[in-house]
Amino acid sequence: MRNFFVLIYMLTALLFVTNAIAQHQEIAEKPTVWKEKSNEKIDSTSILNAFKNGNFSGHFRYFFMGTNNESGLSDYFANALGGGVKFETAQFHNFQFGVSGYHIYNIGSSDFSKKDPITNLSNRYEVALFDLQNASSKGNLSRLEELYLKYNYKHSTVTLGKQLLNTSFINLQDGRMRPTEVDGIWIDFNEIKKTKINIGYLYGISPRSTMKYFRIGESIGIYPAGVNPDGTKSDYAGNLDSDGVYIIGIQNESVSNLKTLLWNQYAENLFNSALFQMDYNYPLNHNSKLLLGFQTVYQNALNEGGNIDPRKTYFQKNGSSQTFGGRLGWKTKAIEWTLNYNRITAKGRYLMPREWGRDPFYTFMTRERNEGFGDVDAVMTKIQYTNPKKTFKSHLAVGYFDLPDVKNVALNKYGLPSYWQTNADIRYEFQGLLKGFDAQLLYVHKFNVGETYDSKNYIFNKTNMSNINFILNFNF
């Protein structure tokens, strides 16, 4: 199996000559999981006609994933097949109703209930194609996803209910079978020229790799929780109290070639996170531009961070964190190259529930995160190619992540050593007879460069490992 991964890696590197068709949608984009066409039909004669003039869309996905760990440790694989449909009515007095659901089949995978005999640790990646809360299940999984009422006003919308959302902190993180979804009210206001304003209140979340919606406090701790700053096992799962998450986002592009972004996320009784980001594109000539970016995030605890008991709280009382990062790059119509840096200061751990979304950092690389750490220096370079017809995309990324020592539990929540990571990604969107299909091949390898104190627990599913993914989608 190891030789197979090496062969795939070599082929991927040779084919590199890769952004997201198959999965891993960028958090700056509107959700396009269903790729449904915009329904601009308006029928005010009856609710019946609004339903008759509605739109159906569908999505089928096959997903193979395999992980090859260091020699002597357990390897895993998974084959998942899923399909679902979405329906959205035409507008009736500016209102629309939408609903979607999805069904997932396990068509041949490792036994995820079996732990690695050396470390006594469970599978990390493949089980997330199914239901994290029922790892031993071999059955079929059904999931209600969207169920919303939307009001349209000129260029703006107000959506109430279960829906897809992409923000810097809560986002799709759609690198498995299905994305994270939310329940609440979301305002998308677009009536000011070159300015986009979002305001929301969320009271429920359905994390990816789960089959139901949870209240905000319940949603935190479904994924592995790591350790508290004193080294004791985190015990916040099921012990957090929060009335919801309040979000405001402002994006402005009134200055030529400059995009300014501000997000503030207030997780009631838990913590507050604020992000400020500026991205500038400086035209060099008619075919290329210089890319410059700056980003900073500040967090602070609210009250006791979720629970008065420090062993059961999420964000330690009076805790805070600070991150900042930058980007330098060059872009043409076909090629984009960036050099990215991010620093999480030693002020405290950067904390954001992994159930809610992936890191917003410039240095983010698929299959790992820097959430849960402080005193981090991360450097990542990435080159992408897109063919003129935009049917073929590929990218190669290499990153170095300097983390605190694994025994520095105050700043290293998950016991992850420093590492190098390489991602090679190829995506193709079929045309002609196979229009509607798209495919992705993703290969990830992580090299350990940190002290592990001769413990395989710091290696298994963390470093010195390869992860390969093949995804085939069909949208209609």
Side-chain angles (χ1 to χ4, degrees):
M1 190 172 185
R2 183 181 301 274
N3 291 335
F4 173 73
F5 285 147
V6 172
L7 176 61
I8 291 295
Y9 180 76
M10 293 176 64
L11 289 173
T12 304
L14 288 171
L15 285 168
F16 171 77
V17 269
T18 171
N19 248 354
I21 297 176
Q23 60 167 155
H24 304 304
Q25 185 176 341
E26 295 299 321
I27 56 180
E29 303 170 343
K30 284 189 174 182
T32 58
V33 171
W34 293 99
K35 296 188 179 180
E36 70 270 32
K37 294 182 179 180
S38 176
N39 190 344
E40 297 181 353
K41 293 181 179 179
I42 300 176
D43 194 318
S44 59
T45 58
S46 70
I47 295 177
L48 176 62
N49 282 337
F51 273 81
K52 285 186 174 181
N53 290 322
N55 279 340
F56 275 100
S57 54
H59 176 218
F60 293 92
R61 169 174 282 183
Y62 166 73
F63 202 130
F64 168 81
M65 181 186 292
T67 300
N68 185 29
N69 278 294
E70 185 177 88
S71 179
L73 301 176
S74 300
D75 298 332
Y76 297 90
F77 72 93
N79 287 280
L81 182 66
V85 293
K86 175 177 180 177
F87 174 76
E88 186 178 68
T89 67
Q91 291 188 35
F92 177 73
H93 295 288
N94 297 326
F95 285 96
Q96 289 178 282
F97 169 78
V99 61
S100 68
Y102 209 82
H103 198 75
I104 301 172
Y105 301 86
N106 185 337
I107 60 173
S109 306
S110 300
D111 184 352
F112 304 129
S113 64
K114 291 184 177 180
K115 296 184 178 182
D116 175 67
I118 294 178
T119 64
N120 198 37
L121 297 175
S122 301
N123 174 266
R124 177 184 180 188
Y125 294 106
E126 287 76 10
V127 66
L129 294 180
F130 308 105
D131 185 0
L132 278 174
Q133 295 187 299
N134 191 10
S136 62
S137 174
K138 296 289 185 179
N140 303 322
L141 307 169
S142 296
R143 186 187 197 215
L144 170 67
E145 299 202 331
E146 295 166 282
L147 184 64
Y148 62 82
L149 184 66
K150 180 166 63 177
Y151 181 77
N152 299 272
Y153 175 80
K154 295 183 180 178
H155 303 292
S156 304
T157 60
V158 180
T159 306
L160 173 66
K162 297 174 172 61
Q163 56 192 286
L164 294 165
L165 199 64
N166 239 0
T167 77
S168 292
F169 299 123
I170 298 179
N171 45 69
L172 302 178
Q173 54 174 349
D174 55 336
R176 299 296 189 273
M177 285 297 287
R178 301 307 298 157
T180 292
E181 307 207 356
V182 303
D183 198 359
I185 183 168
W186 188 253
I187 300 172
D188 192 356
F189 185 79
N190 300 294
E191 307 307 316
I192 302 175
K193 187 177 181 181
K194 295 186 178 181
T195 299
K196 176 185 177 73
I197 300 174
N198 290 116
I199 301 174
Y201 167 62
L202 309 180
Y203 44 79
I205 291 181
S206 179
R208 74 173 188 188
S209 312
T210 64
M211 295 298 118
K212 63 179 183 179
Y213 278 82
F214 302 85
R215 296 193 303 272
I216 294 301
E218 291 178 324
S219 72
I220 305 174
I222 296 172
Y223 291 7
V227 298
N228 291 316
D230 63 0
T232 59
K233 183 179 179 181
S234 293
D235 192 26
Y236 51 74
N239 293 311
L240 299 177
D241 180 33
S242 176
D243 289 336
V245 180
Y246 301 84
I247 303 175
I248 183 168
I250 302 174
Q251 177 178 302
N252 182 271
E253 298 183 49
S254 57
V255 177
S256 180
N257 301 316
L258 177 67
K259 180 168 71 174
T260 303
L261 186 65
L262 176 66
W263 284 102
N264 193 82
Q265 177 177 287
Y266 182 90
E268 192 273 334
N269 198 46
L270 298 173
F271 63 96
N272 189 82
S273 299
L275 174 144
F276 176 73
Q277 182 172 321
M278 299 179 69
D279 292 287
Y280 183 68
N281 298 334
Y282 179 76
L284 298 174
N285 52 50
H286 70 283
N287 187 47
S288 66
K289 60 184 69 174
L290 181 68
L291 308 178
L292 298 169
F294 171 79
Q295 176 192 83
T296 185
V297 177
Y298 179 78
Q299 297 183 298
N300 62 280
L302 299 175
N303 300 323
E304 279 79 23
N307 194 304
I308 194 170
D309 185 344
R311 297 170 302 173
K312 299 179 179 181
T313 197
Y314 179 72
F315 212 115
Q316 294 294 310
K317 184 178 181 180
N318 300 321
S320 62
S321 75
Q322 176 82 49
T323 84
F324 58 87
R327 164 173 288 178
L328 173 65
W330 174 74
K331 183 177 182 180
T332 68
K333 291 182 179 179
I335 297 174
E336 178 178 326
W337 168 81
T338 58
L339 178 63
N340 308 277
Y341 172 76
N342 190 68
R343 167 70 178 167
I344 304 176
T345 71
K347 186 181 185 70
R349 297 169 168 181
Y350 169 78
L351 295 173
M352 185 62 57
R354 296 190 172 198
E355 296 85 356
W356 294 5
R358 57 92 152 175
D359 300 341
F361 307 138
Y362 289 130
T363 53
F364 172 78
M365 295 180 70
T366 297
R367 296 295 176 266
E368 195 51 85
R369 310 184 190 195
N370 289 159
E371 184 276 330
F373 303 96
D375 195 14
V376 175
D377 287 288
V379 181
M380 186 267 281
T381 185
K382 179 178 177 179
I383 186 167
Q384 301 184 116
Y385 169 78
T386 305
N387 71 344
K389 294 183 178 181
K390 300 186 183 301
T391 56
F392 174 81
K393 299 183 179 183
S394 64
H395 79 242
L396 180 66
V398 178
Y400 171 67
F401 300 85
D402 185 22
L403 307 182
D405 187 88
V406 292
K407 292 188 176 182
N408 182 358
V409 292
L411 295 174
N412 194 325
K413 182 179 182 182
Y414 299 104
L416 178 66
S418 298
Y419 63 96
W420 281 90
Q421 180 170 337
T422 301
N423 286 16
D425 191 323
I426 297 175
R427 310 175 188 222
Y428 183 73
E429 188 173 296
F430 294 89
Q431 302 297 312
L433 182 65
L434 296 179
K435 187 175 178 63
F437 283 94
D438 61 72
Q440 177 187 8
L441 178 65
L442 169 67
Y443 179 83
V444 177
H445 192 86
K446 295 173 63 186
F447 306 85
N448 177 65
V449 292
E451 177 61 65
T452 59
Y453 300 95
D454 296 320
S455 173
K456 297 298 183 182
N457 291 58
Y458 299 126
I459 296 292
F460 179 65
N461 277 334
K462 293 179 178 179
T463 58
N464 290 349
M465 53 153 286
S466 299
N467 179 268
I468 189 168
N469 308 259
F470 174 73
I471 305 102
L472 182 65
N473 294 292
F474 178 66
N475 288 84
F476 64 90

